[in-house]
Amino acid sequence: MTGRIIKTLSGFYYVATDNALFECKARGSFRKSGVSPLVGDIVEFETTENEKGIIDEIMPRKNCLVRPPVANIDKLFIMSAFESPAPNTYLIDKMTVIAEFNNIEPIIIFNKSDMGDFSEFSAIYKNAGFKTYVVSAKENIGVDAVLSEMTGCVSAFTGNSGVGKSSLINALFGNNNIKTGVVSEKLGRGKHTTRHTELYALSGDTYVVDTPGFSSLELELNNYELKEQLEYLFPDFSDYLSGCKFASCSHTKEKGCAVLEAVKNGFVEPTRHESYLRLFEEMKDLKSWESKIK
Ligand code: GDP
Ligand code: ZN
């Protein structure tokens, strides 16, 4: 049988299929190979008795994060609010970079549209080519569009405490069979000291993963490979990279840089390039041997 691991607890893996949940053990061979099953993994398993089973094989992963330990996230919803705290383009851009690096689609959400005008921010991200949603979890505005974006995917939400992640999840799935209380608690205020990752099925193959806020994912920046790829992790630069005069152009200050030219001419958003410069600066001293081992 094939299913998806939605939870691990005390050495058991809980594998969901379309209509049941199986409590599984992993075959001993996994331990030897050093690959251990993760929440989010699609696995082949053999049933034993009473909805119990043994995992035989882990299907190839689309991606796999270390913090939180989870595999196969399709979409990262990067959420900001109009105030408390206000949108921070650098934090948003940093998350888009981490998402792109991990082969996760970044999607931008501005919540609390009832409190003000986000058009300036949403224009930046639309121009940069990202799917961008302006919503109000409180007044249930724009929430359906987010729901259809999530359908059939494994989604994670990230954003500072207070931006309305729990409110949005509740607005999305309030009447569903999901344990909203638990999700609110987990997605909420970061009171929980235990890092416990779990996927919640919202319907059939639609899942949401509880994710700690911005801070935990920041660790992913300490990665030499990411540093090396930085220019490619800004999809809005891709049309210009080949136009730079020097092949080794860092797109920071060089003469004949097509990216800088595109910023000047309004084809690349200045705040996106500012974030690039800041990330470039932050990572410039990172050496290959300092890179976090995945
Ligand atoms: P979280 O920490 O990201 O999970 O944020 P919460 O969902 O706990 O929301 C933080 C605060 O913002 C709460 O007081 C919510 O009632 C409020 N809030 C959430 N969404 C909205 C919204 O769309 N509009 C307004 N005005 N307030 C909201
Ligand atoms: Zn350049």
Side-chain angles (χ1 to χ4, degrees):
M1 298 243 276
T2 306
R4 190 188 284 274
I5 301 179
I6 60 162
K7 175 167 113 165
T8 66
L9 200 64
S10 319
F12 287 105
Y13 301 94
Y14 293 85
V15 180
T17 62
D18 284 345
N19 40 30
L21 187 65
F22 294 84
E23 185 186 81
C24 296
K25 283 272 184 193
R27 277 217 192 283
S29 54
F30 283 124
R31 248 160 276 153
K32 277 180 228 127
S33 69
V35 182
S36 47
L38 278 177
V39 167
D41 270 329
I42 312 268
V43 295
E44 290 285 351
F45 67 103
E46 196 181 298
T47 52
T48 49
E49 26 98 48
N50 296 336
E51 314 216 309
K52 288 186 196 300
I54 297 179
I55 297 173
D56 290 313
E57 202 183 340
I58 304 171
M59 297 294 126
R61 292 169 178 159
K62 174 179 179 179
N63 51 52
C64 124
L65 298 183
V66 179
R67 257 170 256 250
V70 59
N72 299 319
I73 294 181
D74 296 306
K75 295 179 177 177
L76 181 66
F77 288 82
I78 303 168
M79 203 160 153
S80 311
F82 190 66
E83 60 169 32
S84 62
N88 176 325
T89 53
Y90 174 67
L91 288 184
I92 297 172
D93 295 339
K94 182 151 80 171
M95 295 312 296
T96 67
V97 162
I98 291 168
E100 299 278 354
F101 180 67
N102 287 292
N103 194 20
I104 300 171
E105 182 183 5
I107 292 171
I108 313 298
I109 298 198
F110 294 107
N111 183 38
K112 310 197 188 183
S113 66
D114 55 289
M115 293 184 71
D117 179 11
F118 282 109
S119 48
E120 186 195 330
F121 287 105
S122 58
I124 292 174
Y125 290 94
K126 281 180 187 157
N127 292 345
F130 296 104
K131 288 180 192 157
T132 304
Y133 295 92
V134 178
V135 307
S136 169
K138 190 174 161 201
E139 315 230 310
N140 208 2
I141 299 165
V143 170
D144 285 349
V146 176
L147 184 56
S148 40
E149 186 65 55
M150 293 173 73
T151 303
C153 299
V154 177
S155 298
F157 285 78
T158 186
N160 281 322
S161 176
V163 300
K165 294 180 295 299
S166 335
S167 304
L168 180 64
I169 297 282
N170 283 323
L172 287 164
F173 307 108
N175 301 321
N176 210 295
N177 57 0
I178 186 179
K179 296 172 280 174
T180 35
V182 182
V183 173
S184 327
E185 211 177 283
K186 285 178 182 303
L187 280 169
R189 295 174 187 71
K191 278 184 205 139
H192 298 260
T193 45
T194 45
R195 289 254 178 268
H196 178 80
T197 304
E198 194 167 338
L199 292 186
Y200 295 93
L202 305 169
S203 65
D205 52 357
T206 302
Y207 291 96
V208 64
V209 56
D210 62 346
T211 325
F214 277 109
S215 53
S216 306
L217 282 165
E218 267 182 46
L219 294 169
E220 297 275 323
L221 271 186
N222 183 24
N223 187 311
Y224 187 73
E225 212 184 311
L226 187 154
K227 173 193 165 176
E228 294 280 276
Q229 290 178 22
L230 188 62
E231 63 190 332
Y232 306 107
L233 301 175
F234 282 77
D236 38 337
F237 294 3
S238 63
D239 284 351
Y240 310 103
L241 295 177
S242 62
C244 298
K245 189 169 172 198
F246 304 106
S248 63
C249 188
S250 71
H251 326 297
T252 56
K253 54 181 185 294
E254 292 88 344
K255 282 220 160 55
C257 172
V259 175
L260 289 172
E261 189 67 18
V263 175
K264 208 171 89 192
N265 295 330
F267 297 117
V268 164
E269 291 292 330
T271 57
R272 292 279 297 162
H273 188 255
E274 280 160 28
S275 297
Y276 170 81
L277 291 178
R278 195 162 153 189
L279 288 167
F280 184 89
E281 194 60 29
E282 258 180 46
M283 288 190 286
K284 76 174 192 299
D285 297 326
L286 187 65
K287 305 288 190 300
S288 54
W289 61 85
E290 290 170 342
S291 187
K292 182 169 55 74
I293 292 150
K294 266 215 160 176

